[in-house]
Amino acid sequence: MQKDEHTKADEKRGLRIKRLKKAIISVFLVLLIVPTILSIIALVQIHHLNQQLKSTNQALQLVTSKLNDLYREMEMQEESASEESVSVSTEANYDEAEETVVMSNVNEGMVRVCLTFDDGPSANTDAILDVLDYYGVQATFFVNGKPGMEEVYQRIVAEGHTLAMHSYSHDYSDVYGDMDSFIDDLDEIQSYLYEVTGVECNYYRFPGGSSNTVSQVEMERCIRYLEACGITYFDWNVDSGDATSGGLTVNEIVDRVVSPIAAGGSDTYVVLLHDTADKVTTVEALSVIIEEIMDMENTMIVPINEYVTPVQHVTVAE
Ligand code: ZN
């Protein structure tokens, strides 16, 4: 009888301990699971917000570039209106002047980054255009004459990039043999691009840059000739190094482009990149370059246009 009572008491105690254990495990699980779930929800929300921020940023850049286009159009209309010498009242003139000031201030204080691709088109151009299209940014293509690639030139223009000249042949002995051959080559690339795309190109990059040491012609003469033709030439102030013999890794290219821009000191960065079939790392680096630049404050990626201050290694006194 006594033994029975002992057993009952033991059973009861065993049950209490079991319940207690269950309660402790439940509390422990709740303490573990709830914060985990909350963290996951927070992470998802952060990711979502990040995406939204990125697309807002892109939309903003798009709007700015659209405003630029609009302003350019307005300016062209104003120019043609003034050429027709229409008499306008003083009040209207005042309004126009004020409007012009407002529009030209749209990008004041912004750092402009121009991504420029030399030596194309190539087997990589479509891939480069796909990346640019994905991020909704425009670049500049300093191209050579490559019959058979008409559709690529046309795609460059259709997607809003700046089509610019980099000589027809890119053959130093041919382009820089003498002044006549420089002029012939320039005519050839300009008329070829006009024929293929309907665009009259007004931007030029010298093969090897304006400070090249291979030209048989004095570079000053070439520069003056371009000026007389109303063509603006661009060198670069950021070199991706992608033309380095032996090639650079994706990370090296990204670093060479992003570091000088992040360091600041200029309001215009013209980045030298290459569009040739063997420069695969350039294509791979491009999306990282664009994302890092997009993340910088007050910095926008723009194609070369009349609002971009030319970056030139050699300038000729007026
Ligand atoms: Zn080149």
Side-chain angles (χ1 to χ4, degrees):
M1 194 66 188
Q2 222 179 16
K3 203 180 166 191
D4 255 15
E5 271 174 19
H6 269 299
T7 324
K8 265 187 187 169
D10 280 352
E11 267 175 17
K12 269 188 185 171
R13 211 174 53 190
L15 268 174
R16 269 209 305 276
I17 289 169
K18 259 189 194 168
R19 264 190 232 132
L20 203 66
K21 266 189 190 164
K22 264 189 191 169
I24 289 169
I25 289 170
S26 306
V27 168
F28 181 72
L29 280 177
V30 168
L31 284 178
L32 191 79
I33 290 167
V34 169
T36 310
I37 290 174
L38 286 178
S39 312
I40 290 170
I41 292 173
L43 275 176
V44 169
Q45 278 181 337
I46 288 170
H47 180 73
H48 198 67
L49 281 174
N50 233 335
Q51 294 293 102
Q52 275 182 333
L53 203 66
K54 267 198 185 146
S55 54
T56 313
N57 215 340
Q58 280 167 23
L60 201 69
Q61 292 208 352
L62 204 69
V63 168
T64 324
S65 87
K66 287 268 184 297
L67 273 173
N68 259 339
D69 290 347
L70 198 71
Y71 175 53
R72 219 176 307 152
E73 244 170 62
M74 279 175 58
E75 216 179 38
M76 267 154 65
Q77 277 171 5
E78 270 173 28
E79 263 171 32
S80 61
S82 65
E83 269 165 21
E84 281 163 28
S85 70
V86 184
S87 68
V88 190
S89 76
T90 325
E91 203 181 327
N93 270 336
Y94 173 76
D95 283 351
E96 261 178 34
E98 198 174 45
E99 210 172 328
T100 308
V101 170
V102 171
M103 292 300 286
S104 59
N105 278 346
V106 164
N107 297 322
E108 202 180 296
M110 290 293 280
V111 173
R112 290 180 171 84
V113 178
C114 301
L115 302 173
T116 68
F117 296 90
D118 284 13
D119 304 348
S122 77
N124 277 332
T125 316
D126 274 322
I128 292 172
L129 288 168
D130 287 346
V131 175
L132 295 170
D133 180 48
Y134 178 81
Y135 289 98
V137 297
Q138 263 95 39
T140 303
F141 290 82
F142 286 100
V143 296
N144 303 122
K146 297 185 187 176
M149 302 203 77
E150 285 76 9
E151 282 177 17
V152 189
Y153 295 104
Q154 288 158 0
R155 187 180 165 195
I156 291 172
V157 171
E159 297 187 5
H161 306 288
T162 298
L163 187 66
M165 302 173 281
H166 188 45
S167 83
Y168 190 92
S169 69
H170 206 291
D171 180 336
Y172 289 149
S173 58
D174 179 37
V175 179
Y176 297 131
D178 56 42
M179 197 57 204
D180 282 343
S181 54
F182 177 76
I183 294 170
D184 286 348
D185 179 272
L186 177 68
D187 279 348
E188 200 177 0
I189 186 68
Q190 197 170 32
S191 50
Y192 173 70
L193 294 178
Y194 182 73
E195 212 173 278
V196 172
T197 65
V199 173
E200 196 170 321
C201 295
N202 291 315
Y203 297 107
Y204 190 87
R205 174 169 285 156
F206 290 106
S210 65
S211 54
N212 77 81
T213 51
V214 291
S215 180
Q216 304 292 309
V217 193
E218 262 182 65
M219 289 309 287
E220 278 204 9
R221 285 185 72 191
C222 300
I223 292 169
R224 282 192 200 282
Y225 185 79
L226 290 183
E227 268 174 19
C229 296
I231 296 169
T232 307
Y233 80 93
F234 272 76
D235 287 308
W236 56 90
N237 54 4
V238 176
D239 184 355
S240 69
D242 66 350
T244 311
S245 61
L248 294 183
T249 66
V250 171
N251 285 343
E252 284 167 334
I253 294 173
V254 171
D255 185 56
R256 288 204 188 193
V257 174
V258 173
S259 296
I261 302 172
S266 176
D267 59 5
T268 306
Y269 292 96
V270 176
V271 181
L272 174 67
L273 295 147
H274 288 87
D275 171 14
T276 55
D278 58 330
K279 304 272 184 292
V280 184
T281 40
T282 306
V283 186
E284 286 169 22
L286 188 56
S287 49
V288 188
I289 289 173
I290 294 173
E291 281 184 21
E292 295 214 8
I293 295 172
M294 276 180 147
D295 282 343
M296 294 179 192
E297 265 179 50
N298 297 327
T299 305
M300 59 196 292
I301 298 173
V302 293
I304 284 178
N305 58 36
E306 67 210 272
Y307 302 106
V308 177
T309 315
V311 169
Q312 299 174 333
H313 298 162
V314 175
T315 45
V316 178
E318 294 282 313

